[in-house]
Amino acid sequence: MDHQQILGLYTWELGTCFRHPGAGELETTVVQTLRTRLGSVEHIRACPSCVVAMEAKRQRLCEEAGVAYEPGHAGEACEPD
């Protein structure tokens, strides 16, 4: 898949990228959800360039682990079925 196809797997809205908070609001997608001890939910968001980088790293890690890579899951671990 090319970068545009991978980015098309995500839902985008304005937000702050966790890697580029100084850039202000830009198109982002949720890559991970954290639950605090108090029970609130925090969404970790990433911009398109970060998602592409995260997908490339995840693909490499999946290949090294011998696990099938499926795009569209940036922020998740590579785990066997």
Side-chain angles (χ1 to χ4, degrees), residues 2-81:
D2 67 27
H3 293 210
Q4 285 304 98
Q5 291 171 313
I6 290 172
L7 295 175
L9 298 172
Y10 293 90
T11 302
W12 301 91
E13 60 184 56
L14 288 180
T16 303
C17 178
F18 79 102
R19 288 186 176 172
H20 305 106
E25 287 210 336
L26 47 116
E27 288 293 306
T28 61
T29 191
V30 175
V31 292
Q32 198 160 76
T33 301
L34 303 176
R35 300 197 190 299
T36 68
R37 289 181 184 187
L38 298 176
S40 64
V41 175
E42 297 290 329
H43 296 292
I44 308 302
R45 305 187 71 81
C47 67
S49 63
C50 289
V51 168
V52 168
M54 292 171 73
E55 284 283 359
K57 182 175 182 177
R58 186 170 181 276
Q59 182 177 17
R60 188 179 72 252
L61 292 172
C62 286
E63 289 170 357
E64 290 172 0
V67 177
Y69 164 72
E70 183 179 328
H73 303 282
E76 293 181 18
C78 292
E79 297 181 4
D81 293 330

